Amino acid sequence: MSEIKVIYWSQSGNTMSMANAVAEGIKEAGKEAAVLEVSAVTAADLNDETVFALGCPAMELEETEMEPFVAELEGSVSGKKIGLFGSYGWGDGQWMRDWVSRFENAGAVIVGGEGVICVEAPDDEAVNACKKLGNELAAE
């Protein structure tokens, strides 16, 4: 594996900040990271990847780019190790629990056992959680 891909969709920049923190954690653990907007990749680009991260904000997946990407990806994630992260503005994070279940039902292993979430802009605690996720991805 030459690099671990960190793919995200962000409207306000909060999830992009989280993606960069995940990548920083990957690099701190001695691996390379590629931070990519979801519009720059296809599900087929991940066919040979065994470990990667996905980030999306909202109460549900963003529907014009991230949801179609995830729907296409679902059929090819069995046995893959995926880190999930995202920011939201209200609620209790149910959308992330649903996203985790969706990938687990497709056969993926969620790194860390759950997604990393934060309310609005990531604070120090959220940045550290993202870096930890990056470390865990690099160890897979």
Side-chain angles (χ1 to χ4, degrees):
M1 164 178 34
S2 60
E3 63 187 6
I4 297 172
K5 290 178 174 55
V6 180
I7 301 161
Y8 73 94
W9 186 91
S10 187
Q11 181 174 12
S12 66
N14 294 337
T15 302
M16 179 179 67
S17 294
M18 294 177 81
N20 288 327
V22 171
E24 190 175 330
I26 292 167
K27 291 174 186 174
E28 286 174 357
K31 298 276 178 90
E32 294 297 316
V35 179
L36 305 161
E37 290 185 51
V38 70
S39 60
V41 295
T42 67
D45 292 334
L46 299 178
N47 283 347
D48 296 330
E49 304 296 326
T50 58
V51 176
F52 54 88
L54 299 173
C56 188
M59 295 305 293
E60 57 188 42
L61 293 183
E62 186 278 330
E63 59 190 36
T64 60
E65 291 183 86
M66 187 56 96
E67 174 56 40
F69 177 79
V70 168
E72 185 178 349
L73 190 60
E74 275 180 291
S76 63
V77 297
S78 185
K80 296 187 181 204
K81 295 176 178 149
I82 303 173
L84 298 175
F85 61 93
S87 167
Y88 64 103
W90 57 275
D92 70 350
Q94 182 62 46
W95 63 274
M96 180 58 77
R97 291 188 295 277
D98 292 344
W99 203 17
V100 166
S101 293
R102 184 174 175 182
F103 275 120
E104 287 176 336
N105 290 338
V109 175
I110 303 304
V111 176
E114 62 185 7
V116 175
I117 59 174
C118 70
V119 177
E120 303 296 345
D123 59 11
D124 289 344
E125 183 180 338
V127 168
N128 288 333
C130 288
K131 287 180 183 179
K132 181 180 178 208
L133 176 61
N135 288 178
E136 292 171 346
L137 288 163
E140 294 295 336

